[in-house]
Short mmCIF file of all heavy atoms in Angstrom, two decimals:
data_model
loop_
_atom_site.label_atom_id
_atom_site.label_comp_id
_atom_site.label_asym_id
_atom_site.label_seq_id
_atom_site.Cartn_x
_atom_site.Cartn_y
_atom_site.Cartn_z
N SER A 372 121.26 92.14 104.82
CA SER A 372 122.26 92.88 105.59
C SER A 372 122.88 92.04 106.70
O SER A 372 123.89 92.45 107.29
CB SER A 372 121.63 94.14 106.20
OG SER A 372 121.16 94.99 105.19
N ASN A 373 122.28 90.90 106.98
CA ASN A 373 122.82 90.00 108.00
C ASN A 373 123.35 88.70 107.41
O ASN A 373 123.71 87.78 108.15
CB ASN A 373 121.76 89.72 109.07
CG ASN A 373 121.55 90.90 109.99
OD1 ASN A 373 122.42 91.24 110.79
ND2 ASN A 373 120.41 91.56 109.87
N GLY A 374 123.39 88.60 106.08
CA GLY A 374 123.93 87.42 105.43
C GLY A 374 123.12 86.16 105.66
O GLY A 374 123.68 85.07 105.77
N VAL A 375 121.78 86.30 105.71
CA VAL A 375 120.90 85.17 106.01
C VAL A 375 120.23 84.67 104.73
O VAL A 375 119.63 85.46 104.00
CB VAL A 375 119.82 85.58 107.03
CG1 VAL A 375 118.86 84.44 107.30
CG2 VAL A 375 120.46 86.05 108.33
N PRO A 376 120.29 83.37 104.42
CA PRO A 376 119.57 82.82 103.27
C PRO A 376 118.05 82.85 103.50
O PRO A 376 117.59 82.90 104.64
CB PRO A 376 120.07 81.38 103.18
CG PRO A 376 121.30 81.32 104.02
CD PRO A 376 121.11 82.35 105.09
N PHE A 377 117.30 82.74 102.40
CA PHE A 377 115.84 82.89 102.45
C PHE A 377 115.10 81.65 101.98
O PHE A 377 115.57 80.91 101.12
CB PHE A 377 115.40 84.04 101.53
CG PHE A 377 115.68 85.42 102.06
CD1 PHE A 377 116.94 85.99 101.89
CD2 PHE A 377 114.70 86.15 102.69
CE1 PHE A 377 117.20 87.27 102.34
CE2 PHE A 377 114.96 87.43 103.15
CZ PHE A 377 116.21 87.99 102.98
N LEU A 378 113.90 81.49 102.55
CA LEU A 378 112.85 80.66 101.99
C LEU A 378 111.69 81.61 101.69
O LEU A 378 111.19 82.28 102.59
CB LEU A 378 112.42 79.57 102.98
CG LEU A 378 113.46 78.48 103.23
CD1 LEU A 378 113.20 77.77 104.55
CD2 LEU A 378 113.46 77.48 102.08
N CYS A 379 111.27 81.70 100.43
CA CYS A 379 110.39 82.79 99.98
C CYS A 379 108.93 82.37 99.90
O CYS A 379 108.58 81.39 99.25
CB CYS A 379 110.85 83.28 98.61
SG CYS A 379 112.50 83.98 98.61
N TRP A 380 108.07 83.18 100.54
CA TRP A 380 106.63 82.93 100.57
C TRP A 380 105.91 84.27 100.37
O TRP A 380 105.29 84.79 101.29
CB TRP A 380 106.27 82.33 101.92
CG TRP A 380 104.91 81.72 102.05
CD1 TRP A 380 103.71 82.24 101.64
CD2 TRP A 380 104.59 80.46 102.67
NE1 TRP A 380 102.69 81.41 101.97
CE2 TRP A 380 103.19 80.30 102.61
CE3 TRP A 380 105.34 79.47 103.29
CZ2 TRP A 380 102.53 79.19 103.14
CZ3 TRP A 380 104.69 78.37 103.82
CH2 TRP A 380 103.31 78.23 103.73
N PRO A 381 105.99 84.87 99.17
CA PRO A 381 105.39 86.19 98.95
C PRO A 381 103.86 86.13 99.03
O PRO A 381 103.25 85.10 98.71
CB PRO A 381 105.86 86.57 97.56
CG PRO A 381 106.19 85.27 96.89
CD PRO A 381 106.66 84.35 97.98
N TYR A 382 103.30 87.24 99.43
CA TYR A 382 101.85 87.33 99.65
C TYR A 382 101.18 88.26 98.63
O TYR A 382 100.19 87.90 98.02
CB TYR A 382 101.57 87.81 101.07
CG TYR A 382 100.12 87.96 101.43
CD1 TYR A 382 99.28 86.84 101.50
CD2 TYR A 382 99.57 89.21 101.73
CE1 TYR A 382 97.94 86.97 101.83
CE2 TYR A 382 98.23 89.35 102.08
CZ TYR A 382 97.41 88.23 102.13
OH TYR A 382 96.09 88.36 102.48
N PHE A 383 101.71 89.47 98.46
CA PHE A 383 101.09 90.40 97.51
C PHE A 383 102.05 91.52 97.14
O PHE A 383 103.20 91.59 97.59
CB PHE A 383 99.77 90.96 98.05
CG PHE A 383 99.88 92.02 99.14
CD1 PHE A 383 98.80 92.85 99.43
CD2 PHE A 383 101.04 92.21 99.86
CE1 PHE A 383 98.87 93.82 100.41
CE2 PHE A 383 101.13 93.20 100.85
CZ PHE A 383 100.04 94.00 101.12
N ALA A 384 101.59 92.39 96.24
CA ALA A 384 102.25 93.65 95.88
C ALA A 384 103.68 93.42 95.38
O ALA A 384 103.91 92.61 94.49
CB ALA A 384 102.19 94.63 97.05
N ASP A 385 104.65 94.13 95.98
CA ASP A 385 106.02 94.09 95.49
C ASP A 385 106.77 92.83 95.89
O ASP A 385 107.91 92.62 95.45
CB ASP A 385 106.79 95.31 96.01
CG ASP A 385 106.94 95.29 97.54
OD1 ASP A 385 105.96 94.91 98.22
OD2 ASP A 385 108.01 95.68 98.04
N GLN A 386 106.17 91.99 96.70
CA GLN A 386 106.89 90.86 97.29
C GLN A 386 107.33 89.83 96.25
O GLN A 386 108.32 89.12 96.45
CB GLN A 386 106.03 90.22 98.38
CG GLN A 386 105.78 91.18 99.55
CD GLN A 386 104.60 90.79 100.43
OE1 GLN A 386 104.07 89.68 100.32
NE2 GLN A 386 104.16 91.70 101.28
N PHE A 387 106.63 89.75 95.11
CA PHE A 387 107.01 88.80 94.07
C PHE A 387 108.28 89.27 93.34
O PHE A 387 109.10 88.46 92.93
CB PHE A 387 105.85 88.61 93.09
CG PHE A 387 104.61 88.05 93.73
CD1 PHE A 387 103.58 88.88 94.15
CD2 PHE A 387 104.50 86.68 93.95
CE1 PHE A 387 102.45 88.36 94.77
CE2 PHE A 387 103.37 86.15 94.57
CZ PHE A 387 102.34 87.00 94.99
N VAL A 388 108.42 90.58 93.18
CA VAL A 388 109.66 91.13 92.60
C VAL A 388 110.84 90.81 93.53
O VAL A 388 111.91 90.39 93.08
CB VAL A 388 109.53 92.65 92.38
CG1 VAL A 388 110.89 93.25 92.00
CG2 VAL A 388 108.50 92.96 91.32
N ASN A 389 110.63 91.01 94.82
CA ASN A 389 111.70 90.75 95.79
C ASN A 389 112.08 89.27 95.81
O ASN A 389 113.25 88.92 95.93
CB ASN A 389 111.27 91.20 97.18
CG ASN A 389 110.82 92.66 97.21
OD1 ASN A 389 111.21 93.44 96.34
ND2 ASN A 389 110.00 93.02 98.17
N GLU A 390 111.07 88.40 95.68
CA GLU A 390 111.33 86.96 95.60
C GLU A 390 112.22 86.65 94.40
O GLU A 390 113.16 85.83 94.48
CB GLU A 390 110.02 86.18 95.48
CG GLU A 390 110.22 84.68 95.32
CD GLU A 390 108.94 83.94 94.91
OE1 GLU A 390 108.25 84.42 93.98
OE2 GLU A 390 108.64 82.91 95.52
N SER A 391 111.97 87.31 93.28
CA SER A 391 112.77 87.06 92.08
C SER A 391 114.21 87.54 92.29
O SER A 391 115.16 86.88 91.84
CB SER A 391 112.15 87.76 90.87
OG SER A 391 112.89 87.47 89.69
N TYR A 392 114.38 88.67 92.94
CA TYR A 392 115.74 89.10 93.29
C TYR A 392 116.44 88.01 94.10
O TYR A 392 117.57 87.61 93.81
CB TYR A 392 115.69 90.39 94.12
CG TYR A 392 115.94 91.65 93.35
CD1 TYR A 392 115.14 92.78 93.55
CD2 TYR A 392 117.00 91.75 92.44
CE1 TYR A 392 115.37 93.96 92.85
CE2 TYR A 392 117.22 92.92 91.73
CZ TYR A 392 116.41 94.03 91.94
OH TYR A 392 116.64 95.20 91.25
N ILE A 393 115.76 87.53 95.15
CA ILE A 393 116.36 86.56 96.09
C ILE A 393 116.73 85.27 95.38
O ILE A 393 117.84 84.74 95.56
CB ILE A 393 115.39 86.29 97.26
CG1 ILE A 393 115.29 87.53 98.17
CG2 ILE A 393 115.82 85.08 98.07
CD1 ILE A 393 114.11 87.49 99.14
N CYS A 394 115.81 84.75 94.56
CA CYS A 394 116.00 83.41 93.97
C CYS A 394 116.70 83.43 92.61
O CYS A 394 117.49 82.54 92.31
CB CYS A 394 114.65 82.71 93.83
SG CYS A 394 113.78 82.47 95.40
N ASP A 395 116.41 84.45 91.79
CA ASP A 395 116.87 84.44 90.40
C ASP A 395 118.10 85.32 90.16
O ASP A 395 118.92 85.00 89.29
CB ASP A 395 115.74 84.90 89.46
CG ASP A 395 114.46 84.11 89.64
OD1 ASP A 395 114.57 82.88 89.88
OD2 ASP A 395 113.37 84.70 89.55
N VAL A 396 118.20 86.43 90.87
CA VAL A 396 119.28 87.39 90.62
C VAL A 396 120.42 87.21 91.62
O VAL A 396 121.59 87.08 91.24
CB VAL A 396 118.75 88.84 90.65
CG1 VAL A 396 119.88 89.84 90.40
CG2 VAL A 396 117.64 89.03 89.62
N TRP A 397 120.09 87.19 92.90
CA TRP A 397 121.14 87.10 93.93
C TRP A 397 121.48 85.66 94.31
O TRP A 397 122.55 85.41 94.86
CB TRP A 397 120.68 87.84 95.20
CG TRP A 397 120.37 89.28 95.03
CD1 TRP A 397 120.89 90.14 94.11
CD2 TRP A 397 119.44 90.05 95.80
NE1 TRP A 397 120.35 91.40 94.26
CE2 TRP A 397 119.45 91.37 95.30
CE3 TRP A 397 118.60 89.75 96.88
CZ2 TRP A 397 118.66 92.39 95.84
CZ3 TRP A 397 117.81 90.76 97.42
CH2 TRP A 397 117.84 92.06 96.90
N ASN A 398 120.56 84.73 94.07
CA ASN A 398 120.77 83.31 94.41
C ASN A 398 121.09 83.11 95.89
O ASN A 398 122.06 82.43 96.26
CB ASN A 398 121.88 82.71 93.54
CG ASN A 398 121.50 82.67 92.07
OD1 ASN A 398 120.44 82.15 91.72
ND2 ASN A 398 122.33 83.24 91.22
N VAL A 399 120.26 83.70 96.74
CA VAL A 399 120.44 83.55 98.18
C VAL A 399 119.24 82.85 98.83
O VAL A 399 119.08 82.87 100.05
CB VAL A 399 120.69 84.91 98.88
CG1 VAL A 399 122.01 85.50 98.43
CG2 VAL A 399 119.53 85.89 98.64
N GLY A 400 118.40 82.19 98.03
CA GLY A 400 117.24 81.52 98.62
C GLY A 400 116.48 80.70 97.60
O GLY A 400 116.81 80.66 96.41
N GLU A 401 115.44 80.04 98.12
CA GLU A 401 114.58 79.18 97.30
C GLU A 401 113.12 79.62 97.43
O GLU A 401 112.72 80.13 98.49
CB GLU A 401 114.70 77.72 97.75
CG GLU A 401 116.00 77.03 97.34
CD GLU A 401 115.92 76.46 95.93
OE1 GLU A 401 114.98 76.81 95.19
OE2 GLU A 401 116.80 75.67 95.57
N ARG A 402 112.35 79.40 96.38
CA ARG A 402 110.90 79.64 96.43
C ARG A 402 110.18 78.32 96.66
O ARG A 402 110.68 77.25 96.31
CB ARG A 402 110.41 80.32 95.15
CG ARG A 402 110.81 79.60 93.90
CD ARG A 402 110.13 80.16 92.65
NE ARG A 402 110.31 81.58 92.43
CZ ARG A 402 111.35 82.13 91.79
NH1 ARG A 402 112.33 81.37 91.34
NH2 ARG A 402 111.40 83.42 91.59
N PHE A 403 108.99 78.42 97.24
CA PHE A 403 108.13 77.24 97.42
C PHE A 403 107.25 77.02 96.19
O PHE A 403 106.84 77.99 95.54
CB PHE A 403 107.23 77.42 98.65
CG PHE A 403 107.96 77.40 99.96
CD1 PHE A 403 108.05 78.54 100.73
CD2 PHE A 403 108.55 76.24 100.43
CE1 PHE A 403 108.71 78.54 101.96
CE2 PHE A 403 109.21 76.21 101.64
CZ PHE A 403 109.30 77.36 102.41
N GLU A 404 106.95 75.77 95.91
CA GLU A 404 106.02 75.43 94.84
C GLU A 404 104.68 75.03 95.47
O GLU A 404 104.64 74.24 96.40
CB GLU A 404 106.56 74.27 93.99
CG GLU A 404 107.91 74.55 93.33
CD GLU A 404 107.86 75.68 92.32
OE1 GLU A 404 106.77 75.91 91.74
OE2 GLU A 404 108.90 76.34 92.13
N ARG A 405 103.61 75.57 94.93
CA ARG A 405 102.28 75.26 95.45
C ARG A 405 101.74 73.97 94.79
O ARG A 405 102.04 73.70 93.63
CB ARG A 405 101.30 76.42 95.19
CG ARG A 405 101.66 77.66 95.99
CD ARG A 405 100.67 78.80 95.77
NE ARG A 405 101.06 79.95 96.59
CZ ARG A 405 100.68 80.14 97.84
NH1 ARG A 405 99.87 79.25 98.43
NH2 ARG A 405 101.07 81.21 98.51
N ASP A 406 100.97 73.23 95.53
CA ASP A 406 100.31 72.04 95.01
C ASP A 406 99.36 72.44 93.88
O ASP A 406 98.57 73.38 94.02
CB ASP A 406 99.52 71.35 96.13
CG ASP A 406 98.81 70.10 95.65
OD1 ASP A 406 99.49 69.09 95.44
OD2 ASP A 406 97.58 70.17 95.49
N GLU A 407 99.46 71.75 92.74
CA GLU A 407 98.69 72.16 91.56
C GLU A 407 97.19 72.08 91.78
O GLU A 407 96.44 72.91 91.28
CB GLU A 407 99.08 71.29 90.36
CG GLU A 407 100.47 71.61 89.82
CD GLU A 407 100.77 70.87 88.53
OE1 GLU A 407 99.84 70.23 87.98
OE2 GLU A 407 101.92 70.93 88.07
N GLU A 408 96.74 71.09 92.53
CA GLU A 408 95.29 70.92 92.72
C GLU A 408 94.73 71.88 93.76
O GLU A 408 93.72 72.53 93.55
CB GLU A 408 94.99 69.47 93.12
CG GLU A 408 95.20 68.47 92.00
CD GLU A 408 94.75 67.07 92.41
OE1 GLU A 408 94.06 66.94 93.44
OE2 GLU A 408 95.11 66.12 91.69
#
Side-chain angles (χ1 to χ4, degrees):
S372 299
N373 285 291
V375 177
F377 285 83
L378 291 159
C379 297
W380 193 314
Y382 180 66
F383 75 162
D385 65 320
Q386 296 161 12
F387 298 97
V388 171
N389 306 337
E390 177 192 47
S391 183
Y392 261 136
I393 290 165
C394 300
D395 306 323
V396 180
W397 301 332
N398 295 307
V399 294
E401 286 275 13
R402 53 171 55 86
F403 291 112
E404 301 296 333
R405 293 182 179 272
D406 180 74
E407 288 187 8
E408 290 185 14

